[in-house]
Amino acid sequence: MTTLKDDFYEAINADWLKTAEIPDDKPATGGFQDLVEAIEKNLMADFAAMQTGAKATENAAQSQFLAYYQLAQDFDQRNAAGAAPLKPLLAQLEGLHSLADFQAHLSDWLLAGLPMPFDLDIDADMKNATTNALFASAPGLFLPDKTYYAADNPAGPQLMGVFKDMMTQLLALAGYDAAQQKTLVDQAVAFDASLVPFVKSAEEKADYSKMYNPESFAAFTSHSSHLDLAQLIQNVLGATPEQVIVTEPNFYAHFDDVLNPDTFANLKGWLIIKTVRGLAGYLSEDFRQTGGIFSRALSGNKAAMKPAKSAYYLATGMFDQVVGDYYGRNYFGPQAKADVQQMVKKMITVYEQRLTHNTWLSVATREKAIVKLEKLGIQVGYPDAIEPLQLTFKTDTTQSLLANTLHFIHLSQLDKFSKWNQPVKRDQWEMSANTVNAYYHPFRNIIVFPAAILQAPFYSLDQPASANYGGIGAVIAHEISHAFDNNGSLFDEYGNLHNWWTADDKAHFKGLADNMIAEFNDLPFAKGKVNGKLTVSENIADAGGLSCALEAAKGEAKVDLKAFFVNWATIWRTKARLEYQQLLLNIDVHAPAKLRANVQPQNLADFYTTFDIQAGDGMYLAPEQRVEIW
């Protein structure tokens, strides 16, 4: 029998791990997933009652959502239509004969949200975070990460084989004959391969310091000799920007290598493949089932999601803020919101005290860190109003699900590009209230806690305060810590990319971050190893979060450190398929849940005294190996 002295996570979650079963259509189950499934069950029941009239709708936006939801649920109509809703798009793509043809459609297709061999986005300027700027990045690859294309990665060829088989089947459903299927797949895979040398890996993308590469408008648009990028940008923005912020400069430096008359045929195949794959889920059931083959191979899922549930996720994904507004108002009470807001304020106070008494920061850096903390924005529960964009979504029940979807995507693209050079809305929510998650936004210096995560085991009015601190308290402090991790620390109190550290402090912090990298790097898991560099930001945030939450718990009148640490291990309980675990090792900036639960307590002296952990125990870590940053 595993004891908590040997493996804390396994001992605390032993009974659950014995009985927990992963649903056939899911890659994992656990604390987070349990909450997701409970929310899913409640909302599906509520929306079904609204559709029958047993429950009243509350506003016009909900009515538009329910109409779209009904289209998603109508598999009789979707199956009868087959590939027909997709045919007009494919006809346009098939009509391309040159890059000049592509150029003629470029603005319209970008605004339609269709696949592009580059990506343009609008976000806060990283050095002027009050104003939205134009960003340019690279398109995604067919495989999860460029490391899968390496010659020494055996998973790559196997997964590419699955992808090609899936696309061959999808193209058959779309009406292409065998010869066309092979040609299109071969062309698309060749174009995909041409991107690989020039795009970033997940590890490289995790380094925010390499994201900000501003180029003058003239310099950026000169990267292509064959597409008029200047005209495209002027068309979608209605103006000429002074600069473009390039997140992947190597890709644009080789843009002509990727996109030229000789590669046009491959580009065309790639566009068709990306379009068919991306929209398969909005078509018939055979399209939906077939279109999920590759993702199921990645995750190890044994079955596709049931049609009814897939319709729910399509609809709630499109109307996420409308659904979040309903969930927040109906499932998140004012008492809980007030209590959590107080907890957030207390965590900030604890963090401020720790910064004030920090022994390795200089006075200058410490004072600036406290200013950043004082300017931290806090959002709890759900927004005060539905995002205006989604109020413009009007479902046309005479049109197909796909036609409505493309219309809403078009409205979303128009809305996105209209925000260029406009003031940043710092309080805008990017995550719906029914999402079981939380986040810190470095460009806005805000922390956001949607209502969905503010429930047991993370938080409950019925749990001891110490347990709540080991759950939601640690999550809150985790997000605060992101303001001071290796990425967040690059940004000032306004969200600007600005070095507010002294050189000595910066060097010392880098050394501590390197210690965190070393603590996790190469830890064995799921027949693979953890990438310490990929996960360092989240590990720094976990360490700071747990440490600060512990201090807050100790400040309560009734403190129970066993309850604190037990709930920390409980919130991370997870049972996942091997394929999914291996995928996450390659692309996820978070360490595996079990290691998050086990490693961070090993860095805290109170863990050893609370559970009498001694040298020789599996959970023991020598003092000189323990990592403490915040």
Side-chain angles (χ1 to χ4, degrees), residues 2 136 153 163 165 175 273 334 361 413 497 505 508 526 534 589 602:
T2 303
N153 190 330
F163 179 85
D165 288 345
I273 290 290
L361 285 176
Q413 289 288 97
L497 185 64
D505 289 341
H508 188 85
L534 175 64
V589 294
Q602 291 178 295

Side-chain angles (χ1 to χ4, degrees), residues 209-227:
S209 68
K210 305 291 176 57
M211 286 177 61
Y212 191 77
N213 304 282
E215 297 183 2
S216 70
F217 183 69
F220 176 76
T221 55
S222 70
H223 287 308
S224 180
S225 305
H226 311 287
L227 288 181

